[in-house]
Every structure is written in C-alpha cells, then in structure tokens.
C-alpha cells in the first residue's frame, strides 16, 4: 500500500488482508488482554483502535458491554457485520480525542493501536480520562520496533547486508524502548498500580506462500528503498531463516507483546 500506516486510507484498504493474514495472530493477544483486564459480566469496556473487532468480540463473549472505536470506517463496518447479538456498540472515532464522557468505563483496552497514533500520549491520557476511578486499562505493544510476522526477519537481514540503510520505522514504536519508560509514561497519563507482562504467540504462515512475490513480502515496509538485486538479497536470507523455523507445511514466526496494565488513579 502506498499510503502511510497512520492514515485512514491505509486501514480502509487493508481490511480484507488484515483479517486474512494478521488477525489470526493478533486475536490471540486480544484474548490475553481480556483476561488481563479481568472482565466480569456487565462491566463497561472501551476497545480503542478495535480494527475488525477481535478484542471487542472476545470481551463481549466474556460478559462485558463494549464500546469499540476506530478511526477507519471500513474497519468499523466490518465489525458491525460481525456483532450478531453481542452487546457491542461500534463507532468511528479518533482515539486521541475520544467523543466520550469522563469516567464512563470500567475497563479500557488497546491491542497494538496506541503506538500507531501520531500522539500516543494523548491516546493514553484519553483512556485514563474515560475510565472510572479504579478502572483498569490494558495496552499491548510489540516488544520490538518492527512488529511481527516476517518484518523482524527482513529488518535483521537488511541490517546485516546494508548496515547504513536500516529498515524504516514509520510509527512511534519508541514506546518499547525500555519497560521502565512504559511505567513512567503510564503514570504520567494518570494510572497507578502499574504492571508489565509479556505473552508470546506464533504468527503462522503457509510455507509455500512465503516467497518474494507474496504480498506480505513484496509490499513490506522493511524493504522501502531497496531495488533489484539488493532487495532480492535481503528477501532471500529472510526466507531462508523463516524456512529453518518451518514445521511441516507451516512457518511459525513467534512474536512477543508487552502488556502494560494500570488502574485509574
């Protein structure tokens, strides 16, 4: 895709590819977040940057009454089609400036959304604002600046072959710099009783599709600026490493997320 990842255009055009390629992986972390949020029946939960709604659906099935927001109308439309009879209210909304009243939720969660915000501190502060005193927030971010799936492999291969031209990082993933900073930023946003936990899951790909012309490779942002043989050299080594991790017909690419948990002060 040609549009930057922080734009609605990018995500409006990514719905189908996200659901097919990424959601089976990210949904596992959404389930983790629901457990860490300690969801009980009847609690009001806000899902920030819901995407097509994996966390919202999991939370509603656990008994929460869910408001799910995203700045991509296409993502909200897809969630709306998946709700069935579950207590979920989807809305197209900017997570940096929530059109929601103060102290209106018992839980607030965001899985891999906050680091994409141009002003991620505003996103954290808004989550705190709409929580009731003592309400719990759970935020998940990648434990590395390049994300998941083939991205870390491509970034490492690029750094090896072209150390003066590292893989670009076009989102504010500096949040993962060090766990102590996460605690500091969460406290500044208005949270206390802060804890950090990690969870790891496998990103599963069919090995036969992991090739240079596969969409997850051909359009991968880790390859920006590389052309011709330079591009193929980086891709080739990443594919070789991935295939060393294969299990039968599938590639298992483990990814770890950090979960920051805090209570509204």
């Amino acid at each position: 895709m040609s549009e930057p990842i922080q734009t609605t255009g990018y995500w409006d055009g990514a719905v189908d590819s996200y659901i097919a390629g990424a959601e089976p992986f990210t949904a596992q972390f959404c389930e983790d977040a629901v457990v860490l949020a300690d969801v009980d029946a009847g609690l009001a939960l806000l899902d920030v940057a819901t995407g097509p709604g994996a966390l919202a659906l999991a939370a509603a099935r656990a008994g929460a009454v869910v408001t799910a927001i995203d700045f991509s109308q296409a993502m909200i439309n897809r969630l709306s089609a998946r709700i069935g009879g579950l207590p979920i209210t989807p809305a197209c909304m900017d997570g940096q400036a929530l059109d929601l009243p103060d102290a209106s939720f018992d839980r607030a969660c965001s899985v891999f959304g906050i680091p994409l915000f141009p002003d991620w501190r505003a996103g954290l502060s808004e989550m705190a604002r709409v929580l009731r005193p003592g309400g719990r927030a759970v935020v998940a971010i990648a434990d590395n600046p390049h994300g998941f799936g083939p991205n870390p492999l491509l970034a490492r291969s690029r750094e090896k072959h072209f150390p003066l031209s590292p893989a670009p990082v076009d989102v504010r993933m500096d949040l993962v710099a060090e766990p102590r900073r996460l605690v500091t930023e969460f406290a500044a946003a208005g949270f206390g009783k802060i804890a950090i936990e990690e969870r790891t899951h496998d990103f599963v790909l069919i090995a036969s599709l992991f090739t240079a012309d596969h969409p997850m490779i051909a359009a991968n942002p880790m390859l920006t600026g590389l052309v011709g043989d330079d591009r193929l050299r980086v891709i080739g080594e990443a594919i070789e490493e991935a295939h060393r991790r294969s299990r039968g017909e599938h590639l298992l690419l483990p990814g770890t997320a950090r979960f920051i948990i805090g209570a509204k002060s």
Side-chain angles (χ1 to χ4, degrees):
M1 298 194 181
S2 59
E3 296 193 64
I5 197 170
Q6 291 179 320
T7 65
T8 55
Y10 179 96
W11 291 104
D12 284 347
V15 178
D16 290 335
S17 61
Y18 182 87
I19 289 174
E23 190 179 45
F25 172 72
T26 59
Q28 299 173 95
F29 295 103
C30 291
E31 296 279 357
D32 293 333
V34 170
V35 172
L36 292 170
D38 192 22
V39 172
D40 288 327
L43 290 179
L45 182 144
L46 175 65
D47 179 15
V48 176
T50 186
L55 192 148
L57 294 166
R61 292 181 184 121
V65 178
V66 180
T67 298
I69 71 102
D70 200 285
F71 77 157
S72 165
Q73 185 64 57
M75 289 289 188
I76 291 298
N77 292 345
R78 187 59 59 90
L79 170 57
S80 297
R82 305 167 100 182
I83 288 173
L86 292 170
I88 300 173
T89 301
C92 189
M93 195 179 300
D94 182 357
Q96 301 162 115
L98 296 170
D99 186 18
L100 297 167
D102 295 353
S104 51
F105 293 91
D106 303 297
R107 302 287 187 269
C109 298
S110 184
V111 171
F112 309 136
I114 295 295
L116 298 178
F117 291 0
D119 187 351
W120 51 263
R121 288 188 178 91
L124 293 178
S125 295
E126 280 292 271
M127 290 179 73
R129 179 182 66 80
V130 301
L131 276 173
R132 299 184 177 109
R136 180 178 296 190
V138 178
V139 174
I141 62 176
D143 75 337
N144 73 88
H146 301 296
F148 301 113
N151 289 21
L153 301 183
L154 289 165
R156 284 197 294 272
S157 177
R158 178 170 180 157
E159 183 177 5
K160 174 182 175 180
H161 291 286
F162 303 101
L164 300 181
S165 178
V169 178
D170 60 356
V171 297
R172 293 302 305 274
M173 295 298 289
D174 56 343
L175 265 174
V176 306
E178 55 179 295
R180 286 179 298 177
R181 184 178 175 195
L182 293 174
V183 173
T184 300
E185 295 290 354
F186 234 52
F191 296 101
K193 300 180 180 178
I194 300 165
I196 296 177
E197 297 201 20
E198 292 188 351
R199 298 290 186 274
T200 300
H201 295 291
D202 284 326
F203 197 119
V204 181
L205 288 172
I206 298 174
S208 61
L209 296 181
F210 199 69
T211 61
D213 59 355
H214 187 279
M216 292 187 71
I217 302 300
N220 197 288
M222 300 300 106
L223 300 172
T224 299
L226 295 181
V227 296
D229 290 342
D230 291 346
R231 181 183 179 90
L232 292 176
R233 189 178 307 122
V234 170
I235 291 173
E237 180 159 319
I239 289 176
E240 287 180 9
E241 182 178 348
H243 279 276
R244 287 195 290 270
R245 305 180 183 199
S246 65
R247 298 291 184 274
E249 296 181 354
H250 295 92
L251 300 175
L252 305 181
L253 304 176
T256 298
R258 289 193 178 116
F259 288 85
I260 309 93
I261 307 136
K264 170 70 173 292
S265 299

